[in-house]
Amino acid sequence: MSANATAITLSQVDEQRARADARADAVFRLVVRGAGLFVLAALAGVALTTLWGGSEALSTFGFGFLTSTEWDTVGHKFGALAPIYGTLVTAAIALIIAVPVSFGIAMYLTELAPAWLRTPVSAAIELLAGIPSIIYGMWGLFVFVPIMGRNIIPWLNEHVGDIWIIGPLFRGPPLGLGMLTAGIVLAIMVIPFISSVMREVFLTVPTRLKESAYALGSTTLEVVWDVVLPYTRTAVIGGIFLGLGRALGETMAVTFVLGNVHRLSLSLLEPGNSIAATIANEFAEADSEIFRSSLIALAFLLFVVTFIVLAAAKLMLMQLAKRQGTT
């Protein structure tokens, strides 16, 4: 075979390979684009179906559905304010407890813990993240609620209940069930998620940066505060909001320990309710279209609340990224 024929054959092979690569790349882009659009379609589908299912309640009660605390299943009068309030309060309590504890766990495992202890503690945290929520709920009901009722709530009533401003938050009957109990159980549930994310992102900090800070005489606290956190703050905030999303939508654990009472109370020791717990408890007993529509409308509100929280987190992360790019 001549040199010209060989060159022509190689050129044809290269062209065929290029066309095959182009087709494969086009198919790959189409599949990946479809996966991304599927997420958007699923998100829109959930929002629209819950909005359609709750349209009867929203049209019947109007804006009063968001501002009313009434939940009368006999008179068919429903309001979402008490479940919304309980959802936000319990999630806030969970974050107030979980964020500093998770930060301490992550810092200890990455900066202070001996090498032989890091692996078993990390494995234990991952195991806690895998425990089903109903187990946390049963533990909370049968173990933690009696402790709250016998020991913690009487102590709070006696020592904190009379303090100005914050006293009404910690004054109530020693039932054990309530928003504070639910918030603590939620905190125990989300700590493994937040601490795992924090630990992983803290491990991404270049060792040279920390060693340079130590060489300049910085303490461990100063290295963490001035080097580790600024380097990882975007991912840390993302992990915190990931835990918040888990806390907002938790159902079974909260149902066991919250008390499931449609009442708006300033006291954190009083029983309350949440959106997810209300739906789980009462959907099977919905004996009318307006009752069922009200529960689906609650599901739509939970979707909206979660979407707003996660959208705010995304905007915050974008602002932090812009600041990092300008400094």
Side-chain angles (χ1 to χ4, degrees):
M1 182 179 293
S2 64
N4 291 334
T6 302
I8 293 173
T9 303
L10 292 175
S11 176
Q12 292 175 347
V13 171
D14 291 340
E15 290 179 1
Q16 292 175 356
R17 181 177 299 173
R19 287 195 294 268
D21 291 342
R23 287 194 298 268
D25 191 50
V27 171
F28 176 75
R29 285 199 301 268
L30 183 63
V31 171
V32 175
R33 185 182 295 114
L37 294 177
F38 173 77
V39 173
L40 295 178
L43 188 68
V46 171
L48 292 176
T49 52
T50 52
L51 177 60
W52 176 261
S55 59
E56 182 179 351
L58 295 175
S59 61
T60 300
F61 303 114
F63 188 74
F65 184 72
L66 301 177
T67 59
S68 174
T69 60
E70 187 176 11
W71 193 268
D72 184 2
T73 59
V74 177
H76 295 164
K77 296 180 180 179
F78 303 98
L81 184 59
I84 294 174
Y85 175 76
T87 300
L88 296 178
V89 169
T90 53
I93 294 172
L95 277 194
I96 291 173
I97 298 173
V99 170
V101 174
S102 300
F103 177 77
I105 293 172
M107 276 292 96
Y108 179 73
L109 291 178
T110 55
E111 301 295 330
L112 300 174
W116 62 268
L117 187 60
R118 295 181 182 181
T119 300
V121 173
S122 301
I125 293 173
E126 293 173 359
L127 288 175
L128 286 175
I131 295 176
S133 60
I134 192 171
I135 303 300
Y136 284 104
M138 294 178 66
W139 171 83
L141 179 62
F142 294 112
V143 177
F144 190 62
V145 167
I147 295 175
M148 287 287 295
R150 288 195 307 263
N151 302 319
I152 299 178
I153 293 180
W155 186 91
L156 290 173
N157 280 322
E158 182 178 355
H159 295 88
V160 186
D162 295 330
I163 298 178
W164 184 60
I165 296 180
I166 66 171
L169 296 175
F170 301 98
R171 190 185 306 134
L175 301 176
L177 300 170
M179 289 186 289
L180 180 61
T181 305
I184 294 174
V185 173
L186 278 178
I188 296 173
M189 292 183 62
V190 301
I191 281 173
F193 292 91
I194 301 176
S195 60
S196 296
V197 173
M198 287 186 176
R199 174 180 170 272
E200 293 299 326
V201 298
F202 289 165
L203 290 174
T204 64
V205 180
T207 305
R208 290 174 296 177
L209 292 179
K210 296 187 287 186
E211 290 179 349
S212 300
Y214 283 122
L216 293 174
S218 300
T219 63
T220 302
L221 178 61
E222 290 172 338
V223 170
V224 170
W225 192 258
D226 297 328
V227 177
V228 176
L229 275 181
Y231 190 88
T232 61
R233 58 184 175 184
T234 300
V236 167
I237 293 175
I240 292 173
F241 278 93
L242 176 66
L244 177 58
R246 171 72 187 272
L248 287 172
E250 179 53 44
T251 304
M252 295 309 300
V254 173
T255 303
F256 275 92
V257 299
L258 187 54
N260 305 312
V261 175
H262 288 280
R263 182 173 56 195
L264 199 63
S265 175
L266 182 62
S267 174
L268 301 179
L269 308 181
E270 294 278 356
N273 218 333
S274 70
I275 295 176
T278 300
I279 297 173
N281 283 326
E282 303 190 20
F283 199 86
E285 301 176 359
D287 55 357
S288 62
E289 288 297 327
I290 190 65
F291 192 179
R292 189 178 300 109
S293 178
S294 299
L295 293 175
I296 299 176
L298 282 179
F300 175 73
L301 292 178
L302 180 59
F303 177 86
V304 171
V305 169
T306 306
F307 181 82
I308 291 174
V309 169
L310 296 182
K314 184 63 177 179
L315 291 175
M316 185 181 300
L317 295 177
M318 291 173 60
Q319 291 296 324
L320 289 175
K322 289 180 180 179
R323 292 180 183 177
Q324 290 177 350
T326 57
T327 55

